[in-house]
Amino acid sequence: MATKDDILAALAAVPGPDGHTPLDQSGAIDGVTLRDGKAFVAIRVDPAKAAAMEGMRAAAEARIKALPGVKSALVTLTAEAAAGGPTRPGAAQPRRPREAQPVAGVAKIIAVASGKGGVGKSTVACNLALGLAALGLKVGVLDADVFGPSTPRLFGITGKPDLAPDGEKMKPIEKFGLKLMSIGFLVDENAAVVWRGPMVMSALTQFLRDVAWGELDVMVVDMPPGTGDAQLTMAQTVPLSGAVVVSTPQDLSLIDARRGIAMFKQVNVPLLGVIENMSYFVCPHCGGRSDIFAHGGARHEAEAHGAPFLGEIPLDMTIRETSDGGAPIVVSAPDSPQAKAFLAVAERVRTALFETAAPRATPRFVIE
Ligand code: ADP
């Protein structure tokens, strides 16, 4: 059975980012995880040279896969945190992307995005996915929020993905009828890596292509929050049929949401609509409704951009408890008013996707 040391020894045969120093001595290895025969290695590289590092990445992966007892290996390229964080203004824009290729067997891919973190994007993404499944669709969730993957927490998953019968691809983890894949299944929670556009693209492409998704009607992609280069790259790397932007009613969040809307416009991804989360509060004792923040801003914002308003989700303790507890409200209390709010959103998304969606234009990158 291979150990972490065996992985490092195997990487000695692969030249590191400078082209000659062996990877194990290059100082570029950011983390090695090995559990149940599943290996994950992060290699830190200069974001500007990421595209040229693909050969090194693939060679490292092949070496690890060849070790006895290693069932699957995933090697990704990461970058150290730059001052100001991964989405700071003025960060290098991604290069012109490859054409986004369809994923075999997957009919529609939608992005769930937000202009900033903490608005409940992941909570909405998972309940939306469960709502679509409740409508009879085959649904997968790709947790592409590499900055803070929440699928393990939201779905209560601690295991690691297995290798598919073909021996090549990873099997998504199945829970509540959904197929799930997340970087959080592979890296330790405290692995403090910050991803830049090109690295994110490398990991994301692997998750799209090297996971045995099978036949899906809809794949829901939980995007990283924000509108920086990583997000923009992603919006172009994934062959998206449409995007959903989650916002809270506060003004600041709406300004951010506006950036999210603009980002999808830039890359010609149709905006399916805007969801207002934490929209209002219903008192659990008296049933009275309070609009804590100026309510209705997301609807206004959506309409101002000619995008449908997909619905509002209350600020509610059970939504938080169920999503933090690993059984989101749509499965744990499907008849509750809160679950019905998500189901109504899911119905509108299904309509937008399958009944009214015009064929999307070829993705085009317009910022030079
Ligand atoms: P994001 O993906 O935007 O960072 P999360 O989905 O992780 O946000 O949500 C952030 C926190 O807010 C979580 O603890 C989650 O349970 C909670 N939360 C999200 N939506 C709601 C809601 N409608 N009512 C109450 N709590 C919520």
Side-chain angles (χ1 to χ4, degrees), residues 144-169:
D145 188 347
V146 290
F147 303 132
S150 13
T151 304
R153 165 178 59 89
L154 285 165
F155 288 92
I157 291 167
T158 49
K160 303 261 162 191
D162 284 319
L163 214 54
D166 70 0
E168 290 292 322
K169 295 189 171 184

Side-chain angles (χ1 to χ4, degrees), residues 28-346:
I29 306 270
D30 222 16
V32 176
T33 313
L34 180 67
R35 209 183 297 165
D36 304 332
K38 292 155 205 156
F40 177 84
V41 173
I43 305 174
R44 203 171 48 244
V45 300
D46 175 355
K49 297 188 186 133
M53 299 293 155
E54 175 55 27
M56 173 192 76
R57 191 201 63 73
E61 207 168 75
R63 290 275 170 183
I64 299 169
K65 266 189 195 154
L67 290 171
V70 170
K71 287 187 266 177
S72 65
L74 182 79
V75 176
T76 50
L77 305 177
T78 68
E80 266 181 62
T87 60
R88 72 192 193 282
Q93 289 295 343
R95 296 160 193 196
R96 183 177 290 278
R98 288 183 296 243
E99 212 44 3
Q101 296 294 326
V103 180
V106 180
K108 304 276 184 189
I109 306 183
I110 58 168
V112 177
S114 64
K116 64 164 190 161
V119 302
K121 169 186 56 61
S122 299
T123 303
V124 170
C126 87
N127 280 295
L128 169 63
L130 289 165
L132 290 166
L135 296 174
L137 299 174
K138 285 192 236 110
V139 184
V141 177
L142 197 177
D143 178 1
D145 188 347
V146 290
F147 303 132
S150 13
T151 304
R153 165 178 59 89
L154 285 165
F155 288 92
I157 291 167
T158 49
K160 303 261 162 191
D162 284 319
L163 214 54
D166 70 0
E168 290 292 322
K169 295 189 171 184
M170 265 185 298
K171 260 200 326 209
I173 290 184
E174 298 201 24
K175 188 93 188 252
F176 306 133
L178 303 182
K179 290 183 179 169
L180 311 168
M181 183 50 74
S182 167
I183 196 84
F185 297 159
L186 302 163
V187 284
D188 285 339
E189 248 170 66
N190 55 1
V193 286
V194 174
W195 306 65
R196 300 296 305 276
M199 288 87 209
V200 167
M201 197 156 90
S202 152
L204 188 68
T205 307
Q206 282 178 280
F207 276 177
L208 281 176
R209 317 281 164 203
D210 298 345
V211 170
W213 291 106
E215 298 286 316
L216 292 181
D217 297 310
V218 185
M219 178 190 283
V220 175
V221 181
D222 185 359
M223 298 275 284
T227 50
D229 57 341
Q231 290 81 354
L232 196 58
T233 305
M234 245 183 213
Q236 301 163 96
T237 306
V238 182
L240 292 171
S241 303
V244 166
V245 171
V246 180
S247 175
T248 59
Q250 296 101 310
D251 280 344
L252 179 63
S253 163
L254 284 173
I255 291 164
D256 291 311
R258 226 169 281 163
R259 288 201 196 107
I261 291 170
M263 175 174 80
F264 289 111
K265 256 193 193 152
Q266 275 175 4
V267 291
N268 285 340
V269 171
L271 183 68
L272 299 176
V274 175
I275 300 170
E276 187 170 274
N277 188 33
M278 309 192 201
S279 183
Y280 55 92
F281 176 72
V282 178
C283 172
H285 308 294
C286 71
R289 171 174 165 149
S290 320
D291 292 331
I292 298 177
F293 310 109
H295 162 256
R299 178 186 288 275
H300 178 78
E301 195 58 29
E303 285 165 359
H305 286 85
F309 182 65
L310 294 170
E312 49 195 29
I313 308 295
L315 172 66
D316 182 87
M317 219 146 79
T318 43
I319 293 181
R320 192 194 58 72
E321 284 166 356
T322 49
S323 46
D324 292 347
I329 192 113
V330 169
V331 280
S332 56
D335 294 324
S336 63
Q338 300 91 325
K340 284 185 179 147
F342 283 114
L343 287 166
V345 168

